[in-house]
Amino acid sequence: MAVKIQSSDIKISSFTPLDIDELQSFCCGCKEMDDYIRLNLSVCDENRYISTYIVRHISSNEIIALFTLANDALIIQSKEDKEDIIAENPIIAESSYVDFFLKQTSFPAINITHLAVDEKWQSRGVGRIILDIIIGTYVKYRPSGCQFVTVDAINESRVTKFYTVDNGFTPLTNCDMYKTTRRLYLPLAVFK
């Protein structure tokens, strides 16, 4: 079994155009993601569609992962869907916020638009460290109004298990159960 990575083993920096050459050899094992990184990441970051962060191993300075973030909104229009979210998240139900929650249709969120770990570094805890940093940033520093972390996860059992079983995300709907991606969310209220 591969040795787990500790948060002290990595450093995170904002993407720069100098990183693109090194990312040509980056491989997460998902062709669509690898192609996106090589062909579109730079232009999307440059045009502020996303903010890209590079994760390097401290001792080797090798890029071991990357993630991108974008502002998002969790849109919940039906009363039944809102009640499901409240039922699945008792912290929301127990708060004084519940009445306001039921009146809204859109909730501020941060979207993990991409999270890719190089194949050589997978199953070593890198993805979990990245999630902890993202969640910790929005819980502790509150850089903007943000009630949820969202992700449109590749609908493969390993990926959805990482988010749902291992990290507490919930599918927003079952309508995307057989699509290529699943919309998942995690309420930040559980980290108070």
Side-chain angles (χ1 to χ4, degrees):
M1 179 161 187
V3 175
K4 293 285 184 188
I5 296 293
Q6 304 299 312
S7 58
S8 59
D9 296 329
I10 66 167
K11 61 182 175 181
I12 297 175
S13 59
S14 293
F15 169 80
T16 72
L18 299 174
D19 296 318
I20 203 65
D21 286 340
E22 193 174 344
L23 285 171
Q24 296 307 305
S25 61
F26 183 91
C27 180
C28 71
C30 172
K31 182 180 177 352
E32 293 83 10
M33 181 78 79
D34 290 335
D35 288 347
Y36 172 82
I37 291 166
R38 288 186 189 91
L39 303 173
N40 299 312
L41 177 74
S42 185
V43 74
C44 288
D45 186 85
E46 179 182 319
N47 287 286
R48 297 180 181 255
Y49 177 70
I50 55 172
S51 291
T52 305
Y53 300 92
I54 300 296
V55 181
R56 293 182 180 273
H57 193 271
I58 285 194
S59 63
S60 68
N61 206 37
E62 173 186 3
I63 295 176
I64 64 172
L66 66 86
F67 63 98
T68 64
L69 302 174
N71 292 322
D72 196 12
L74 192 64
I75 309 295
I76 310 166
Q77 304 230 350
S78 81
K79 185 175 187 216
E80 293 79 20
D81 288 345
K82 286 182 208 170
E83 289 170 350
D84 287 346
I85 287 176
I86 290 169
E88 293 164 357
N89 300 284
I91 290 175
I92 294 172
E94 295 169 5
S95 75
S96 59
Y97 177 70
V98 73
D99 290 334
F100 186 79
F101 183 87
L102 287 168
K103 293 176 188 173
Q104 303 305 306
T105 58
S106 177
F107 304 89
I110 187 69
N111 183 254
I112 302 170
T113 48
H114 305 93
L115 194 165
V117 177
D118 191 280
E119 284 183 308
K120 297 177 295 211
W121 296 90
Q122 291 177 7
S123 299
R124 296 178 67 182
V126 176
R128 177 59 201 213
I129 291 170
I130 292 169
L131 280 182
D132 287 346
I133 290 169
I134 294 167
I135 292 165
T137 299
Y138 279 85
V139 169
K140 183 176 181 180
Y141 299 108
R142 299 178 62 164
S144 65
C146 184
Q147 294 176 289
F148 296 93
V149 177
T150 60
V151 63
D152 296 303
I154 295 171
N155 196 4
E156 295 175 359
S157 61
R158 187 181 69 132
V159 175
T160 55
K161 177 187 176 292
F162 168 76
Y163 285 108
T164 58
V165 175
D166 300 344
N167 291 292
F169 282 74
T170 303
L172 182 60
T173 178
N174 285 326
C175 296
D176 58 3
M177 190 178 285
Y178 300 106
K179 294 188 177 180
T180 56
T181 60
R182 293 220 56 198
R183 181 80 162 158
L184 308 173
Y185 73 93
L186 179 70
L188 290 178
V190 301
F191 298 98
K192 285 184 178 181

